[in-house]
Amino acid sequence: MADDIEPPFPIWQGFRHSWTYNHRLNRIGNWLTADARDGDTLQIALGHSAASGSGRDEASFSGYHTSVRADGVHCREIRRTIHISAREQESQVFQREIRLGRDAVPADCDTFAAILAGFDLWSGKDADKLASFHLATTVPRRDPGTGEIVFALLGALNVDCDSPECDNFQTAGGLIASIAAGAALGGNLGGLPGLLAGAVFGGLFAKLNVTTDYNLVVHLAVIAGHSDTLCARLSTTQNTYSWGTDEAVTRAKEGVVRVELEGDHNQRWRHTVPAITQLSLEVTRERGVLRPDTAMHLLEWDMAVTPVTSRGDGCTADIELFFRNWANRESEFLDEQIDPPIIGDVDWLDQQVEGAFSHRDAGMANVVIGVALLQFARAEVVGQNHWTGRLIWQGGGESAASPDAVRTATRTHTIPMADDAAPLAMIDGVHRIAVDHAM
């Protein structure tokens, strides 16, 4: 094995995100980049984004990563920005070919993994509710003609919304006014059938020609090595569950899957670290004939891989695959939105309005994550670290691209390479050396 030891590099392992009450998909993201790699030291820049709609609310979040320094293994970061525009209820699919120059990594590298390092998705206009989101990388290969490392980034987004604020109405009163206008038109058509037809038309006309406009920044990394220094085994884990309007689902009960990630069994592999290659979420609800849309407000979305025990030929991990659109809890931010301004504090009315605003819809979620189990012949590992934070979104028409929608942090890890290849001590079931954590 060649003595080819680069500075440490980070591996993104997912996120948690939640609001105190239900919201549209105006902005969400979690990502990391290697701010500086020098000798034994790695400084990581961490980011999380959160924006809801016109209402004020607080987002809570966590991000997860592991840091690695490995003999004969190389990390190259990539970022791509994608514009996504589509009609409501239509999936917009995208594919981008990515090429790394032939000199990006040593010529003898023949083993590659393209992993996600996070994403940032925000609405340019008409923020809608989430129906599905997909993001995945293909397996890189070396182009025999050019020597470049080539792979593809694949993805899709589908959003829709039948709530007043999504379709150019800032209040329920605005929607009611449109329905009333439609009903008046229908009344002129004659009788009750015309009145009902006009009311339905009045409530739906604002959805015509609604085009969603999103921007997506994807952070990626290519991990490269030789077959003697690096192995990458791919797998997927899926979680499908449903819920009603009487009992809220929880991450602990419905959202965690314990898996055995199996790698190559050659004795040369001393450390394993799971990385993410795919994020997929699809949510569905049934609303009846007059409200057939399948999109859903977002209260919580968690997708993360947490190693439980690690060994050279595999890893036991808890994988969080969770989404929910309502919860049994009060929100001071929701109370700001629903206090009746004229009638006063009427308990019954409060309950009815809160029920409408909290979007307590029954539904189903199908959540899939792709994992590359990275095996290293000789490495030192700091894992798993996480950072948490909170962000209060003021709403009131502020742009999702505002700096107020982003929180950042840094972490610094010092990882000297040991002279021997002996496995590190186990702490909480994970190989680690935690030397320096700068807040």
Side-chain angles (χ1 to χ4, degrees):
M1 184 186 306
D3 187 14
D4 182 12
I5 307 176
E6 285 193 354
F9 56 88
I11 295 177
W12 184 71
Q13 293 176 311
F15 68 96
R16 292 178 181 173
H17 176 99
S18 64
W19 295 103
T20 74
Y21 69 96
N22 314 75
H23 286 290
R24 293 172 282 154
L25 181 61
N26 200 9
R27 186 168 184 176
I28 186 172
N30 187 276
W31 64 91
L32 61 76
T33 61
D35 225 12
R37 299 173 62 200
D38 183 22
D40 296 344
T41 303
L42 166 67
Q43 180 172 295
I44 307 171
L46 305 164
H48 192 92
S49 61
S52 59
S54 57
R56 181 171 176 263
D57 197 13
E58 183 178 38
S60 302
F61 61 85
S62 298
Y64 300 88
H65 68 273
T66 289
S67 297
V68 177
R69 193 175 187 199
D71 193 352
V73 176
H74 312 270
C75 176
R76 300 294 178 262
E77 294 185 328
I78 302 164
R79 190 176 80 167
R80 290 291 184 272
T81 300
I82 300 166
H83 182 71
I84 304 172
S85 180
R87 292 282 301 275
E88 286 188 319
Q89 293 184 306
E90 293 181 357
S91 290
Q92 179 66 36
V93 180
F94 58 86
Q95 176 178 331
R96 298 291 186 274
E97 183 182 74
I98 298 176
R99 289 177 171 264
L100 284 181
R102 60 181 301 165
D103 297 327
V105 297
D108 65 343
C109 289
D110 58 11
T111 302
F112 309 99
I115 62 176
L116 297 175
F119 68 94
D120 186 15
L121 174 67
W122 73 92
S123 171
K125 64 175 182 176
D126 297 324
D128 274 8
K129 291 185 288 188
L130 179 62
S132 66
F133 176 78
H134 305 274
L135 196 60
T137 60
T138 63
V139 178
R141 62 179 180 84
R142 192 181 287 276
D143 187 318
T146 65
E148 297 171 302
I149 300 169
V150 185
F151 67 99
L153 174 66
L154 312 174
L157 177 68
N158 187 342
V159 293
D160 185 34
C161 188
D162 63 356
S163 297
E165 72 274 18
C166 298
D167 298 319
N168 302 319
F169 298 108
Q170 292 300 314
T171 66
L175 178 60
I176 291 171
S178 77
I179 294 175
L185 174 64
N188 294 330
L189 299 178
L192 181 60
L195 187 70
L196 293 176
V200 171
F201 173 79
L204 297 181
F205 79 89
K207 293 184 68 65
L208 299 178
N209 297 318
V210 174
T211 300
T212 61
D213 186 10
Y214 281 87
N215 296 287
L216 174 66
V217 174
V218 184
H219 296 265
L220 305 143
V222 170
I223 310 299
H226 189 269
S227 57
D228 288 338
T229 64
L230 173 69
C231 181
R233 288 291 180 93
L234 304 181
S235 65
T236 58
T237 300
Q238 177 173 302
N239 187 26
T240 302
Y241 59 96
S242 60
W243 61 89
T245 58
D246 296 326
E247 182 178 356
V249 292
T250 65
R251 183 198 314 117
K253 185 176 179 181
E254 283 89 5
V256 180
V257 180
R258 177 157 291 188
V259 298
E260 295 294 334
L261 302 172
E262 185 174 353
D264 181 76
H265 291 281
N266 192 301
Q267 292 185 355
R268 72 163 55 92
W269 309 119
R270 310 303 296 268
H271 295 284
T272 59
V273 177
I276 296 175
T277 61
Q278 177 185 349
L279 300 173
S280 289
L281 171 66
E282 297 176 88
V283 294
T284 305
R285 65 176 177 176
E286 297 298 333
R287 297 295 298 272
V289 176
L290 295 181
R291 303 183 73 181
D293 62 305
T294 60
M296 200 170 296
H297 276 73
L298 189 160
L299 177 65
E300 183 173 357
W301 183 14
D302 306 327
M303 298 193 76
V305 180
T306 299
V308 177
T309 60
S310 180
R311 56 195 185 278
D313 64 351
C315 174
T316 302
D318 282 340
I319 298 185
E320 297 183 4
L321 302 166
F322 185 61
F323 172 92
R324 64 175 169 179
N325 73 309
W326 70 272
N328 284 320
R329 65 185 183 198
E330 296 181 356
S331 166
E332 62 176 290
F333 299 94
L334 178 57
D335 290 340
E336 294 177 3
Q337 309 298 318
I338 67 174
D339 283 340
I342 299 176
I343 301 175
D345 187 13
V346 180
D347 290 341
W348 180 86
L349 182 59
D350 275 341
Q351 293 173 5
Q352 304 310 308
V353 177
E354 182 169 349
F357 271 77
S358 64
H359 303 283
R360 185 177 290 200
D361 298 316
M364 182 180 74
N366 181 42
V367 197
V368 179
I369 200 165
V371 174
L373 184 66
L374 304 178
Q375 295 176 267
F376 304 102
R378 181 168 179 258
E380 305 284 15
V381 177
V382 175
Q384 179 184 68
N385 283 263
H386 73 279
W387 73 294
T388 62
R390 297 179 183 274
L391 182 157
I392 294 182
W393 174 251
Q394 297 295 341
E398 187 173 10
S399 168
S402 165
D404 294 338
V406 179
R407 292 292 180 270
T408 60
T410 60
R411 295 291 185 272
T412 300
H413 304 297
T414 301
I415 310 180
M417 215 42 198
D419 292 334
D420 57 29
L424 298 173
M426 299 284 283
I427 303 176
D428 297 332
V430 181
H431 292 299
R432 68 179 67 186
I433 52 169
V435 179
D436 182 17
H437 292 192
M439 302 298 290

